[in-house]
Amino acid sequence: MTIHNPYRDPSIPWLRGNLHAHTTMSDGDRTPQNLIDQYAARGYDFLAISDHDMITKTKKYDARSMTLIPANEVTINGPHTVHVGATVVIPPDPDRQAVLDGVAKDGGFAFMAHPSWERHFNHCPQEMLESLRGYIGVEIFNGITRWHPGSNVATDRWDRMLSQGRRVWGFANDDAHHAGDEGVAWNMVQADSRSANAIVDALRTGSFYASTGVVIESIRVAGNTIAVSTHNAQRIVASIDYARRVAQVDATEMVYTAPSGIELSYVRFECFGAGESMAWTQPFFVTK
């Protein structure tokens, strides 16, 4: 059994950031500078302003010591797709595969936003998630969807894909539009530097975890054993294919050894804290 660890050396620091936010340039109610100020005041390390079907030019604003990553949420004509590290606006082709092909040509990466939004809980149908190629992940938590029809959590959609062999990462973002939307959900990234390229590269390879408040301090893999240590989790759960729970502890740390006799293709961990705070590791893919 080989467990593929997406995380880097524990000595590499974690950077906190949001990849999904909007300003007055599209349908947000804050100017770009005000939004930047709000995230900087919360101690964020990076921010992607992903206004709808456009790239908000952030170079003319004060980054407040954060790294600003250009982004664009492709919205018109189909399920919303966030392009992180964008240099050009990808036309909103109704064929979302054409959009993803455009992202691949431009660089950066794409993830599918809030797939369980709307009254039918199916903003991005599962069949489309499974058929599209070229995106690296899905939004498993979307902050603003808490106040709209549908589900803000999409881990079930994620597990269905992972269980079919798709190697996609899970993102958590605010999708901030209005005052008070900030600081609900974020991504903690292990990057070699604070440059936009280093952060994008680390996200692309899965060297991050998603959180709404639980802090993961270290993730270590040795053989077929995975150790997850947190600052403030009250329960940690290990799940494998089709969301089967295989272990849980009511503690801040879990050490899980994958048995050789069980059929599994991945292991992932959910960390539960006080109130609604959580953290989700990326999947550790398993080959035999």
Side-chain angles (χ1 to χ4, degrees), residues 250-266:
D250 291 332
T252 59
E253 181 177 3
M254 170 180 272
V255 178
Y256 175 72
T257 299
S260 58
I262 190 172
E263 287 297 323
L264 76 163
S265 63
Y266 70 92

Side-chain angles (χ1 to χ4, degrees), residues 18 20-23 30 35 39 144 174-178 181-182:
N18 177 47
H20 194 171
H22 302 278
T23 74
R30 269 86 45 80
L35 186 73
Y39 278 97
I144 200 173
D174 288 335
D175 194 1
H177 285 72
H178 310 292
D181 290 344
E182 313 89 2

Side-chain angles (χ1 to χ4, degrees), residues 198-213:
I199 293 169
V200 168
D201 287 344
L203 288 162
R204 185 186 286 108
T205 59
S207 189
F208 69 101
Y209 69 88
S211 179
T212 61

Side-chain angles (χ1 to χ4, degrees), residues 239-261:
S239 299
I240 62 171
D241 303 50
Y242 299 100
R244 290 176 290 167
R245 185 173 297 199
V246 290
Q248 72 178 45
V249 295
D250 291 332
T252 59
E253 181 177 3
M254 170 180 272
V255 178
Y256 175 72
T257 299
S260 58

Side-chain angles (χ1 to χ4, degrees), residues 19 25 35 50 52 56 60 86 108 112 122-123 128 130 132 157 159 164 184 203 206 221 223 243 276 284:
L19 299 170
M25 300 299 290
L35 186 73
S50 57
H52 296 283
T56 296
K60 61 182 179 180
M112 307 305 293
N122 207 25
H123 171 72
M128 182 178 291
E130 293 172 2
L132 291 174
R157 312 286 297 278
D159 277 309
Q164 295 178 15
V184 175
L203 288 162
V221 176
E276 297 183 59
F284 297 80

